[in-house]
Amino acid sequence: MEETQILYKIFTRFAAAICVLNGMTLKHAKKLTTLQFKEHSLEDDVKVLIGKIDKDEHDTIEQLLDETILVCDELGPNRDYITLVKILKNIGDSISDGQDQNEYKYTNSLIERFEKEIALVNKKIPPPPLFNMVMESRSLIEWTSIYCLYPFIPKRIKGNGRPVLLIPPYLADDMSTSFVRKYLKSLGFKTYKWELGFNMVKSHYIPRLEEKLADIYQEHQEKVSIVGWSGGGIFAKIMANRHPDQVEQILTIGSPIWGVMDMKTPVYGLMEFFRGKSLKERNERFLAELEPVPTVPVTCIYTKTDGLVPWKHCIEAATFRKDIKNIEVFGSHSGMGANASVLLVTANMLSANIQGKKIRDVGSNIERYLYPNFWNKARRTFNSKKSIVTVVK
């Protein structure tokens, strides 16, 4: 927590100072600030930092605001910053609850300034490096090798007939999700194609997707899980935001699911070539629907070696709620539909979220090599003996 400790140390001081600014004692301010981190993934560490706040700093609140923004800027863009915005808004609401909002104009302005500055910081995500773009050619190897690897991929998960709708990536059709669908079918999930031809990431698909979602929901009389790869994840998130009563969960695979209006990617040039106008120009309102965090469980599979989409756009704020997970795999963007790790993560997380279960390590050697935790640990040590993830009761 070295980098984040720096951020949360200054942020908690700023949050506590806002409370004291509005007449709270330091003790009460620390208590209210601590309450906002309940169930936060860094809750225990942050409690320690809040406990170390020993003086009233509301007189220097402008300086604390500037320092907090500076730290965020120096650490770089991060989707988790929206959790900080949410915490400040919750504190502001608690302070002014049921009272005249005019008395809290300055407090509200501090929170609004923080939110605006964070939005500017998060616009600075760079495009994928040239090396990653060149390495996208390895997707040919990934699509070829999956035919050899597929028979060895573990099939322990039980889908029990639960419905899963799969949405293909940009410029691809249902053929691109064939291996994911085949694997999920072998586990007992009931899979559905999107059946709308090649995905051109256009807003006019949404009404037909809504109809399809409603039909699947009615057929099964239960919520539907949605898996979207790349541009398909955009639609998965919009469906989750529009119809949380029909969506069990979403799982995105290398999908840009926030900040797309400012995303820097070579894919934009391709989109403009095929469609005549930029994605921003045609679908501004459509893309704005990506910004809210869905109320349903979210799993984001991403690769830091993505050569088409900046990987930071492909992860959700894991600190926002405990049912939001970001899982890294090793591979190219174009090969994710034929990536054995992606297949394993998809099945494990679909089952885990449906059943409300936790995940733990298992002892299968094959999973150690196919599952992404192997790659993460391999970077740190060649002697890692930990196993990988599966669903437990």
Side-chain angles (χ1 to χ4, degrees):
M1 190 191 169
E2 290 183 10
E3 288 186 346
T4 52
Q5 186 175 38
I6 297 172
L7 171 59
Y8 282 98
K9 184 175 182 180
I10 184 65
F11 175 78
T12 51
R13 288 167 56 200
F14 173 53
I18 287 179
C19 298
V20 176
L21 177 69
N22 288 277
M24 289 188 189
T25 63
L26 182 58
K27 181 179 179 180
H28 189 189
K30 290 168 64 175
K31 184 177 180 180
L32 178 58
T33 303
T34 300
L35 186 63
Q36 308 311 312
F37 287 90
K38 187 177 181 181
E39 297 190 358
H40 190 284
S41 59
L42 300 174
E43 180 181 1
D44 293 337
D45 296 301
V46 173
K47 280 183 178 180
V48 173
L49 295 176
I50 295 174
K52 292 181 179 180
I53 299 175
D54 58 3
K55 60 180 179 180
D56 169 11
E57 298 181 275
H58 81 277
D59 288 338
T60 59
I61 197 163
E62 291 284 346
Q63 181 181 338
L64 288 173
L65 171 60
D66 291 340
E67 288 181 13
T68 305
I69 294 169
L70 178 61
V71 170
C72 290
D73 194 27
E74 289 177 342
L75 291 177
N78 193 321
R79 178 63 166 168
D80 279 325
Y81 292 158
I82 66 166
T83 304
L84 304 184
V85 173
K86 174 188 174 185
I87 288 171
L88 289 183
K89 287 183 175 180
N90 288 343
I91 289 175
D93 291 342
S94 296
I95 291 171
S96 61
D97 184 32
Q99 301 183 52
D100 185 357
Q101 293 297 313
N102 289 325
E103 297 180 13
Y104 301 92
K105 283 185 178 180
Y106 181 56
T107 297
N108 292 334
S109 71
L110 290 172
I111 297 171
E112 288 172 6
R113 282 161 56 192
F114 180 79
E115 184 176 16
K116 288 178 180 178
E117 290 296 330
I118 286 301
L120 292 176
V121 169
N122 277 341
K123 288 183 178 182
K124 299 178 182 179
I125 299 175
L130 180 60
F131 178 77
N132 285 8
M133 294 168 60
V134 172
M135 286 299 291
E136 277 298 308
S137 59
R138 67 196 149 142
S139 64
L140 296 174
I141 299 174
E142 291 168 320
W143 279 100
T144 303
S145 63
I146 189 62
Y147 289 95
C148 299
L149 287 173
Y150 183 81
F152 300 100
I153 301 176
K155 297 180 175 65
R156 294 193 184 88
I157 300 300
K158 303 297 181 183
N160 298 319
R162 300 300 288 266
V164 182
L165 172 63
L166 293 100
I167 307 177
Y170 178 60
L171 293 181
D173 61 7
D174 288 315
M175 284 294 293
S176 64
T177 61
S178 57
F179 275 106
V180 183
R181 283 187 285 108
K182 179 181 178 181
Y183 182 61
L184 294 179
K185 277 184 180 179
S186 72
L187 300 175
F189 290 98
K190 175 63 175 177
T191 63
Y192 291 86
K193 301 177 183 178
W194 101 310
E195 298 180 313
L196 295 175
F198 290 93
N199 185 356
M200 301 300 291
V201 191
K202 293 182 178 180
S203 57
H204 73 239
Y205 293 123
I206 292 179
R208 284 179 282 178
L209 266 178
E210 289 178 315
E211 289 181 14
K212 191 173 190 68
L213 175 64
D215 289 343
I216 299 172
Y217 176 76
Q218 287 298 324
E219 179 182 343
H220 288 264
Q221 291 296 303
E222 61 183 334
K223 293 184 178 181
V224 182
S225 297
I226 305 179
V227 177
W229 175 17
S230 191
I234 290 176
F235 291 110
K237 189 173 183 183
I238 289 174
M239 290 297 103
N241 279 329
R242 286 193 179 190
H243 304 286
D245 56 324
Q246 296 179 357
V247 177
E248 179 77 42
Q249 62 180 307
I250 63 169
L251 192 148
T252 63
I253 303 171
S255 301
I257 55 170
W258 69 276
V260 177
M261 292 295 293
D262 302 291
M263 186 172 67
K264 303 174 183 68
T265 169
V267 177
Y268 265 146
L270 193 63
M271 287 179 172
E272 292 176 14
F273 175 80
F274 278 106
R275 300 168 62 179
K277 290 184 178 181
S278 71
L279 181 64
K280 298 177 185 178
E281 188 177 348
R282 292 174 64 108
N283 289 326
E284 185 170 350
R285 187 172 64 178
F286 160 53
L287 294 176
E289 289 192 62
L290 287 174
E291 296 308 308
V293 179
T295 57
V296 304
V298 178
T299 301
C300 300
I301 303 174
Y302 70 100
T303 170
K304 289 184 178 180
T305 56
D306 196 313
L308 298 181
V309 180
W311 65 269
K312 285 191 175 183
H313 285 289
C314 299
I315 60 177
E316 192 49 273
T319 56
F320 204 78
R321 287 197 321 268
K322 286 190 174 181
D323 61 0
I324 298 175
K325 305 291 183 185
N326 298 311
I327 302 178
E328 181 186 356
V329 298
F330 181 80
S332 68
H333 178 92
S334 304
M336 296 185 87
N339 187 309
S341 293
V342 171
L343 268 60
L344 278 163
V345 174
T346 301
N348 273 274
M349 293 309 298
L350 284 176
S351 181
N353 286 328
I354 287 172
Q355 300 177 54
K357 295 180 179 180
K358 296 182 179 180
I359 52 178
R360 66 166 174 84
D361 292 339
V362 298
S364 167
N365 288 327
I366 187 67
E367 290 188 27
R368 293 181 185 180
Y369 289 91
L370 293 179
Y371 212 83
N373 279 8
F374 168 78
W375 300 104
N376 292 336
K377 293 181 173 74
R379 293 192 187 98
R380 300 191 292 267
T381 173
F382 291 108
N383 298 317
S384 174
K385 294 183 179 180
K386 283 193 175 182
S387 319
I388 311 306
V389 196
T390 192
V391 178
V392 295
K393 293 182 179 179

